[in-house]
């Protein structure tokens, strides 16, 4: 009998040891401790920690966006839109398409009026809970609306009013600002995309109207209307969105849904704490691990530029390597923003603004002096590249020029096409980049009767007027 008691006691001890090891593997961190640490670091852990934007009636653009409904698709609702399907960052209708362009603007006059009414409001109330976002349609509206606005501005310019067209195009900045008010990273990225479309529209107008007045209008519009983005705030908001996703995990199917999320609206589960094995073995440990990494990621995001990107990427890389330690680590690694390009977005848009301003200054200089500047400093002495800490690059190409930033990769390849990331530039007379590589170049003399080949160039002599 005594022998069996010893066996039973040993068995109980072994089971307790195995449970302790399993518990340590499944739950390596204490959730309450990590929640307190997260709050101390500045992370919100409940909706009350980070209220969403609210505006009083008359100042709230949300009803206007709702009234807009679905905007025309590029190849869908408007036959004319299909004919001028070029409202993207790197394309613009040619002057020969003016009848289609003017017809499209006339067709969409009511919709454009609603778009302007929405953009005229100070902000947009965000009504969703911290769950899957029912307002993704606003993001689609904002992008499509900014493309329509670009065509409207081009039409105004081609009717002889380029300065007014620049001011009209600056409405895109207000749309971007409204999108960015929702404090999550996807809103930040969409807002930057909307602003890039607005700046591309300004570049189109400047190329067709290279005058000092247009350059001044661009500078004034950017100085007074360009949005101020807050990536740190969006990282904080992303924490609440991610915690809601973790609280939804009750099966393996829910984990798969985290990897391929949908935009289907459903009530927030941020305050939900279901009981059972999934809460014990998955939800709580994943939340604790995620909060520890998120606090470190936030501290990295708060560093000065030049240090923050590497620090943020180091946190996400460490989380990815730790994913093999257990299911909670795997879930936590899926929840952090892992695309390093995201970290450079704010700097990229600031570099694009600088490039646009410098390009317009060069065109204004040529209009005033009858020649191109020999150096960029002659036309735009304050043209600064945020990535290099030096003046922006400037090359004469054929009968035009390109102004560029080296971008986050530290080099300007001068090559258009995928991947476009890193190509931050203003080209004239067009934005085609294939001819912008290598040293200063000029056209090769073409024999009489010969047809010149596009890009036919030789290393050449000094810049010419």
């Amino acid at each position: 009998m005594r022998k069996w008691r010893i066996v039973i006691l040993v068995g109980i001890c072994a089971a307790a040891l195995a449970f302790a090891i399993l518990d340590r593997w499944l739950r390596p961190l204490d959730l309450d401790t990590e929640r307190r640490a997260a709050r101390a670091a500045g992370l919100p852990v409940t909706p009350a920690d980070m209220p969403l934007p609210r505006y009083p009636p008359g100042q709230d653009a949300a009803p206007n966006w709702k009234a807009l409904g679905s905007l025309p698709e590029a190849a869908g609702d408007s036959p004319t839109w299909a004919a001028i399907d070029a409202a993207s960052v790197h394309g613009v209708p040619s002057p020969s398409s003016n009848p289609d362009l003017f017809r499209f603007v006339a067709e969409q006059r009511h919709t454009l009026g609603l778009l302007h009414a929405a953009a005229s409001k100070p902000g947009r109330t965000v009504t969703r809970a911290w769950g899957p976002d029912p307002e993704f349609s606003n993001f689609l509206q904002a992008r499509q609306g900014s493309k329509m606005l670009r065509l409207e501005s081009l039409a105004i310019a081609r009717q002889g009013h380029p300065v007014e067209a620049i001011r009209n195009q600056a409405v895109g900045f207000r749309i971007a600002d409204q999108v960015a008010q929702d404090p999550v990273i996807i809103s930040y990225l969409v807002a930057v995309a909307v602003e890039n479309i607005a700046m591309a529209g300004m570049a189109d107008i400047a190329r067709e109207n290279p005058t000092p007045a247009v350059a001044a209008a661009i500078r004034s519009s950017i100085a007074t209307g360009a949005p101020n983005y807050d990536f740190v705030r969006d990282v904080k908001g992303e924490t609440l969105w991610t915690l809601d996703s973790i609280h939804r995990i009750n099966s393996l199917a829910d984990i798969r849904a985290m990897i391929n999320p949908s935009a289907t609206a459903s009530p927030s589960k941020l305050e939900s704490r279901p009981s059972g094995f999934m809460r014990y073995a998955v939800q709580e440990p994943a939340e604790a691990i995620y909060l520890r990494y998120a606090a470190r990621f936030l501290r990295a995001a708060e560093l000065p530029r030049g240090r923050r990107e590497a620090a943020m990427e180091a946190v996400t890389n460490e989380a990815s390597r730790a994913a093999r330690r257990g299911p909670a680590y795997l879930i936590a690694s899926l929840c952090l923003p892992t695309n390093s390009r995201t970290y450079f977005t704010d700097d990229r848009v600031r570099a694009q603004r600088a490039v646009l301003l410098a390009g317009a200054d060069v065109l204004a200089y040529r209009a005033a002096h009858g020649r191109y500047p020999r150096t960029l400093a002659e036309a735009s002495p304050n043209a600064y590249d945020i990535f290099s800490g030096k003046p922006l690059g400037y090359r004469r190409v054929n009968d035009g020029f390109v102004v560029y930033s080296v971008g986050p990769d530290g080099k300007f390849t001068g090559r258009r096409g995928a991947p476009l990331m890193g190509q931050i530039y203003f080209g004239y007379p067009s934005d085609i980049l294939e001819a912008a590589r290598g040293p200063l170049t000029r056209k090769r003399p073409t024999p009489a009767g010969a047809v010149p080949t596009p890009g036919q160039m030789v290393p050449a002599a000094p810049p010419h007027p």
Side-chain angles (χ1 to χ4, degrees), residues 170-340:
V171 172
F173 292 152
R174 297 204 293 272
I175 296 174
D177 185 65
Q178 288 185 6
V179 173
Q181 289 174 16
D182 192 352
V184 286
I185 290 177
I186 183 63
S187 300
Y188 162 73
L189 296 176
V190 172
V192 168
V194 168
E195 180 178 346
N196 279 328
I197 293 171
M199 287 193 288
M202 291 182 178
D204 295 334
I205 296 167
R207 290 187 193 96
E208 294 189 4
N209 303 271
T211 67
V214 167
I218 291 174
R219 185 170 296 279
S220 175
S221 296
I222 291 178
T224 60
N228 291 316
Y229 302 110
D230 191 344
F231 182 66
V232 171
R233 180 208 58 173
D234 295 337
V235 168
K236 295 178 180 179
E238 194 81 8
T239 302
L240 289 177
W241 198 354
T242 301
L243 291 178
D244 178 85
S245 299
I246 292 174
H247 289 196
R248 292 172 183 273
I249 298 174
N250 284 302
S251 67
L252 291 177
D254 295 327
I255 298 177
R256 287 195 294 270
M258 287 183 65
I259 302 173
N260 298 295
S262 71
T264 303
S266 60
S268 172
K269 292 185 181 266
L270 192 54
E271 304 286 8
S272 173
R273 309 296 292 176
S275 60
F277 178 77
M278 291 300 290
R279 174 183 175 181
Y280 166 80
V282 177
Q283 289 180 347
E284 289 190 350
E287 181 176 343
I289 295 169
Y290 167 73
L291 286 174
R292 174 166 289 191
Y293 281 120
R296 291 176 54 193
F297 189 87
L298 177 64
R299 286 193 290 270
E302 292 171 335
L303 292 172
R305 70 161 307 277
R307 294 171 53 198
R308 65 187 180 207
E309 293 80 13
M312 287 187 286
E313 193 163 10
V315 175
T316 57
N317 288 342
E318 182 180 331
S320 297
R321 290 192 298 270
R324 68 189 71 174
R325 297 183 190 174
Y329 280 97
L330 172 62
I331 292 170
S333 71
L334 296 173
C335 293
L336 291 170
T338 55
N339 186 350
S340 62

Side-chain angles (χ1 to χ4, degrees), residues 376-464:
L376 184 59
E378 288 184 52
S380 191
N382 297 318
Y384 169 80
D385 188 349
I386 193 171
F387 288 106
S388 68
K390 301 176 181 179
L392 291 168
Y394 171 66
R395 295 181 187 174
R396 287 294 317 285
V397 181
N398 287 347
D399 290 329
F401 67 91
V402 60
V403 175
Y404 60 91
S405 162
V406 297
D409 293 331
K411 60 182 179 180
F412 175 70
T413 64
R415 186 165 48 252
R416 185 178 175 181
L420 285 173
M421 301 299 285
Q423 305 299 297
I424 305 171
Y425 65 94
F426 179 102
Y428 181 83
S430 75
D431 67 348
I432 302 300
L433 289 182
E434 280 79 4
R437 289 172 284 177
L440 297 174
T441 54
R442 62 177 296 174
K443 287 183 178 178
R444 182 192 301 274
T446 304
V451 178
T453 302
Q456 186 178 36
M457 304 161 64
V458 293
H464 56 87

